[in-house]
Amino acid sequence: MHTIATPALWFVFGLIVVIALVIDFVVLRAGGTHKVAFKEAALWSVAWIALAMLFNLGLWYWLGGHVSAEVANETALQFLAGYLVEKALAVDNIFVFLLIFSRFGVSAELQKHALMIGILGAIVLRAILIFVGAALIQRYHWILYFFGAFLIYTGIQMVRAPNDEGDFESNPLMRWMRGHLRLSKEYSGA
């Protein structure tokens, strides 16, 4: 992988991500279990977007002192474009979260807690899948066709039965989890 960043810059980026997660979890714990109001959600969204834009500004400034202005501008624009694409894709995730929350009956007061745990799990699993997937694609190019076919299949399944909840209890994954993990059908506190 080609990168213009130094290991120190990657370390700073990783540190910023970890600090942001810690802040979010500390605030989550301090705020206790509560329903997140629109105003609170909007303020947090503005804060995280501002942090991303400050990071982009800092990246542009740092690159301006270490590489050409053209490379700094191009990299800052690429970051901005990538960030906007991720934000647009995050809207799709909201619908998935709402579906999961309604399917499992997660109350509005517990949704932020469940969301934070889900995001942390998603970060870890996404990192694993990116590295494993990149290695597989580099070694076996044909696997792209397999993944593409799988996406088409799941898309067709979603279109064919958009409101079909199916028998949740007979789902093979749920049966396996209930047999191997200590799961409860009821909530106990948070």
Side-chain angles (χ1 to χ4, degrees), residues 19-177:
I19 290 170
L21 285 170
V22 168
I23 288 171
D24 220 7
F25 276 101
V26 166
V27 169
L28 172 66
R29 191 178 236 343
T33 303
H34 68 283
K35 182 177 179 180
V36 178
F38 178 79
K39 183 178 178 183
E40 179 184 358
L43 287 173
W44 275 110
S45 293
V46 168
W48 291 122
I49 291 169
L51 179 65
M53 294 305 103
L54 282 172
F55 176 83
N56 195 20
L57 182 64
L59 178 66
W60 173 79
Y61 180 77
W62 183 87
L63 287 172
H66 291 81
V67 295
S68 70
E70 181 180 329
V71 171
N73 292 339
E74 176 74 20
T75 303
L77 282 174
Q78 287 176 356
F79 177 89
L80 180 62
Y83 184 79
L84 292 174
V85 167
E86 281 295 321
K87 270 294 179 201
L89 292 174
V91 172
D92 181 48
N93 289 343
I94 290 171
F95 295 112
V96 173
F97 295 146
L98 289 173
L99 220 125
I100 291 170
F101 290 158
S102 65
R103 183 71 176 110
F104 284 100
V106 179
S107 69
E109 292 79 20
L110 295 174
Q111 287 180 1
K112 183 173 182 183
H113 187 77
L115 186 62
M116 291 302 298
I117 291 170
I119 288 172
L120 192 58
I123 289 171
V124 171
L125 291 175
R126 185 177 285 190
I128 291 168
L129 288 174
I130 286 172
F131 287 113
V132 170
L136 285 172
I137 290 169
Q138 187 174 12
R139 185 166 176 136
Y140 308 107
H141 185 267
W142 57 265
I143 207 162
L144 284 173
Y145 301 111
F146 172 77
F147 288 142
F150 178 72
L151 285 175
I152 291 170
Y153 170 77
T154 55
I156 290 170
Q157 292 298 99
M158 290 176 71
V159 168
R160 285 180 52 201
N163 296 323
D164 181 25
E165 293 183 9
D167 185 9
F168 194 60
E169 293 303 319
S170 68
N171 180 295
L173 179 60
M174 284 304 295
R175 282 197 325 260
W176 181 89
M177 288 176 63

